[in-house]
Structures are given as structure tokens and as C-alpha cells.
């Protein structure tokens, strides 16, 4: 049988934490048209080893050394799991997501690279194994294997991840029409630094309130209970130390809430801010008003309004030839 020589995969933008679930909740934005995500193409080469042929990105400074590139690291992890370390691979990356933007860019590249490499090698790694490989890319970028971007990038939808079982994300219901306004102020916040400033301890009261909110969020999705959902999108863990790096956060959130959003807060480690809305019309209005605040404070920002990806509509294999 002839083996493939080239495989290409895409993975989309994701929101880590979803405000009330630090490191345990994540969601994927619809990327069915591949316009809000990263694409990774992996081609066989005759000589062993991985090279990065090119990174297409509006951000400079994305490493092309495969040991220092998340896609290179995820591809290497696939080679190791597939016992194919003598294979030669050339990787080309199209970054649709910004670097250090809080939109899950490192996870998207890692997941797309893992899927493309797995297909190229015909190695049939399971989703759990692909997730572990992608988490190694995430670890390179952020110094941590937190799964709340990698899991939704791979599986789509809204997911809950138990840290003790991080390769088996639990899919949550995606209420019909639920949409996001995601606004990316043109600033960079490196996730590793944003994790280094986090508190190492929280109080018992904070832990109790946060557990109640994360659990209530899950229930609110099952019941489509918007009144409950509106109360629980609160972050007592990361936002207090991170908000100082995100200009206008309170004003942008307030503009979103006044526009009918169910809640708004930092996307992942920031600087992006998202508003969760029950439908696309609310998300459009919230997005315009969030953007207006950034204009008022002279911060350039890109706005994306999208439905949440359906469960299962995560990363896609685009081509194998
Ligand atoms: N849960 C992670 C964090 C998401 O907040 O550091 C980073 O994208």
C-alpha cells in the first residue's frame, strides 16, 4: 500500500477558563470555514528529523527551530508514540491566530500538527494520545500542560476537564445558537508570564465560591438557564492578578453586559476578552460595543463574532495525499 506523502490539518480558536473554570473549562469557536484557526501541513522528507519549512504569520518571532516550535514538538511527540523516530518530516504553518493573544494559538498549532503527523504516518494514535502529544506543544509555549485550550481545539464544543483525567475531556451541551464576541486588543500577553503571576493559594471561601460557580455553569448549560448562567461567570482565581495587564477590561465587560451578554471576561490568559451570548444577534451587538470601548481608549482591536463550535466539530484533517 502506498503511504501518504503529505497531510494538512486545521484547528481553531479556543477560550480557556471560560471565566469560572480556571484550567478546567474550555470552548471552541466555530472554525468550519477554517478562517479562525491555524493550519499545519506535514510532508515526508527522505532524511530523518523534523524541519520547519516556513511559518506564515503576521507575528514575527515564531521559532522555526523544531525543538522550539509547538508544532515541531507536537509532531515529534507523535513520532515517538508511533515508534517512527527515524521518519523525516517537513512542516509548514499558516498562523491564523495571534501569538500570545489568549485565543489558543499555541494549542491550535499543536493539535493541527499532531493530527497531520498522525495521518501522514498512518499511525492511528487515539484521540487521547493525540491530546497528550499536543499538550507537549502547549507545555513548550506556556510551561504548563493545562488542557483547557488543547481539549476544545481537538474535540470542539464546550468541555470540562478533570486534571486527574485530562486526556478524557467531558463534553458539555452547547445551547443552540450560543455565540461569542471575542475581541483581541493588539497587545501580547505571554501565557507563561501570566501563569507565573498567579496566586499559589486561594482562601477557603474563594475555593468554595468558585467550585459552586463552575458547577452551576455546567448545570446552566444543561438547563439552558440563563438567569443562573449570568450569575456564575466570575473569576476569583486569575482575573484579580491579570486584569492590571488588560486595559479597559471593566469597561469592555460592562459594555458587553449592557448589550445583553450573559457574561464577559478574560479569554484564557488574555489579553483577549470574550462575551458569552445566547445568540448571534446579541453577540454582534456586544462585540460592536466592546470594540467601541477599545477605540475610546486608543487600543486597536480585532473583533470576531462566532457561534460556539458544536461538540465533535473540533480540529479537521483537511487533506492527505
Ligand atoms: N487556563 C490557562 C490559563 C489558559 O489561564 O493560564 C491559557 O490559555
Amino acid at each position: 500500500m502506498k503511504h501518504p506523502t503529505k497531510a494538512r490539518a486545521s484547528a481553531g480558536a479556543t477560550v480557556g477558563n471560560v471565566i469560572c473554570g480556571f484550567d478546567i473549562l474550555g470552548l471552541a469557536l466555530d472554525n468550519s470555514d477554517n478562517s479562525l484557526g491555524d493550519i499545519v501541513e506535514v510532508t515526508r522528507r527522505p532524511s530523518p528529523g523534523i524541519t520547519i519549512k516556513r511559518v506564515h504569520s503576521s507575528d514575527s518571532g515564531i521559532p522555526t527551530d523544531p525543538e522550539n516550535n509547538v508544532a515541531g514538538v507536537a509532531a515529534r511527540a507523535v513520532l515517538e508514540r508511533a515508534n517512527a523516530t527515524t521518519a523525516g518530516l517537513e512542516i509548514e504553518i499558516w498562523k491564523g491566530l495571534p501569538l500570545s493573544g489568549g485565543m489558543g494559538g499555541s494549542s491550535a498549532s499543536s493539535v493541527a500538527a499532531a493530527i497531520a503527523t498522525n495521518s501522514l504516518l498512518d499511525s492511528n494514535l487515539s484521540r487521547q494520545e493525540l491530546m497528550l502529544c499536543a499538550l507537549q506543544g502547549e507545555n513548550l509555549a506556556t510551561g504548563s500542560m493545562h488542557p483547557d485550550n488543547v481539549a476544545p481545539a481537538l474535540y470542539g464544543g464546550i468541555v470540562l476537564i478533570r486534571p486527574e483525567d485530562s486526556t478524557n475531556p467531558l463534553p458539555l451541551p452547547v445551547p443552540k445558537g450560543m455565540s461569542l464576541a471575542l475581541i483581541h486588543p493588539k497587545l501580547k500577553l505571554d501565557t507563561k508570564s501570566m501563569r507565573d503571576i498567579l496566586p499559589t493559594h486561594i482562601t477557603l471561601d474563594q475555593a468554595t465560591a468558585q467550585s459552586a460557580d463552575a458547577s452551576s455553569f455546567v448545570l446552566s448549560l444543561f438547563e439552558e438557564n440563563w438567569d443562573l448562567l449570568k450569575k456564575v461567570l466570575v473569576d476569583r482565581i486569575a482575573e484579580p492578578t491579570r486584569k492590571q495587564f488588560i486595559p479597559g477590561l471593566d469597561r469592555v465587560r460592562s459594555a458587553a453586559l449592557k448589550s445583553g451578554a450573559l457574561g464577559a471576561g478574560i479569554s484564557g490568559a488574555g489579553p483577549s476578552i470574550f462575551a458569552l451570548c445566547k445568540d448571534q444577534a446579541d453577540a454582534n451587538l456586544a462585540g460592536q460595543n466592546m470594540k467601541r470601548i477599545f477605540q475610546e481608549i486608543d487600543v486597536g482591536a480585532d473583533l470576531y463574532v462566532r457561534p460556539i463550535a458544536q461538540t465533535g466539530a473540533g480540529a479537521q484533517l483537511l487533506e492527505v495525499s
Side-chain angles (χ1 to χ4, degrees), residues 74-85 118 121 123 125-126 128-134 136 167:
R76 155 80 48 205
V78 172
L79 292 186
E80 284 168 3
R81 282 199 166 256
N83 291 320
T85 46
N118 183 45
L121 301 174
S123 43
L125 298 188
S126 66
Q128 283 88 349
E129 288 175 295
L130 290 177
M131 189 157 157
L132 278 174
C133 295
Q136 292 193 30
T167 58

Side-chain angles (χ1 to χ4, degrees), residues 175 177-181 275-281 283 305-308:
M178 188 173 256
S179 296
L180 252 67
L276 186 64
C277 300
K278 58 182 184 305
D279 57 35
Q280 187 125 3
V305 176
R306 297 273 167 135
I308 297 177

Side-chain angles (χ1 to χ4, degrees), residues 5-7 41-45 88-92 120:
T5 55
K6 190 200 285 186
E41 185 172 278
V42 185
T43 310
R44 274 204 188 260
R45 284 189 333 144
L89 306 179
E90 183 176 77
I91 299 178
E92 189 163 2
L120 183 73

Side-chain angles (χ1 to χ4, degrees), residues 22-140:
F22 178 75
D23 275 2
I24 63 167
L25 286 170
L27 61 80
L29 277 77
D30 180 81
N31 184 41
S32 42
D33 61 1
N34 293 312
S35 68
L36 190 58
D38 291 357
I39 294 178
V40 176
E41 185 172 278
V42 185
T43 310
R44 274 204 188 260
R45 284 189 333 144
S47 45
I50 299 177
T51 54
I52 309 278
K53 181 182 171 194
R54 195 164 165 204
V55 182
H56 307 259
S57 171
S58 51
D59 289 303
S60 54
I62 296 178
T64 51
D65 165 10
E67 304 296 319
N68 277 313
N69 178 290
V70 298
V73 167
R76 155 80 48 205
V78 172
L79 292 186
E80 284 168 3
R81 282 199 166 256
N83 291 320
T85 46
T86 54
L89 306 179
E90 183 176 77
I91 299 178
E92 189 163 2
I93 303 161
W94 289 264
K95 290 286 306 170
L97 300 177
L99 193 63
S100 302
M103 294 172 63
S106 53
S107 295
S109 289
S110 302
V111 166
I115 289 180
T117 307
N118 183 45
S119 299
L120 183 73
L121 301 174
D122 272 336
S123 43
N124 279 324
L125 298 188
S126 66
R127 290 244 145 184
Q128 283 88 349
E129 288 175 295
L130 290 177
M131 189 157 157
L132 278 174
C133 295
L135 282 171
Q136 292 193 30
E138 183 72 306
N139 190 37
L140 173 79

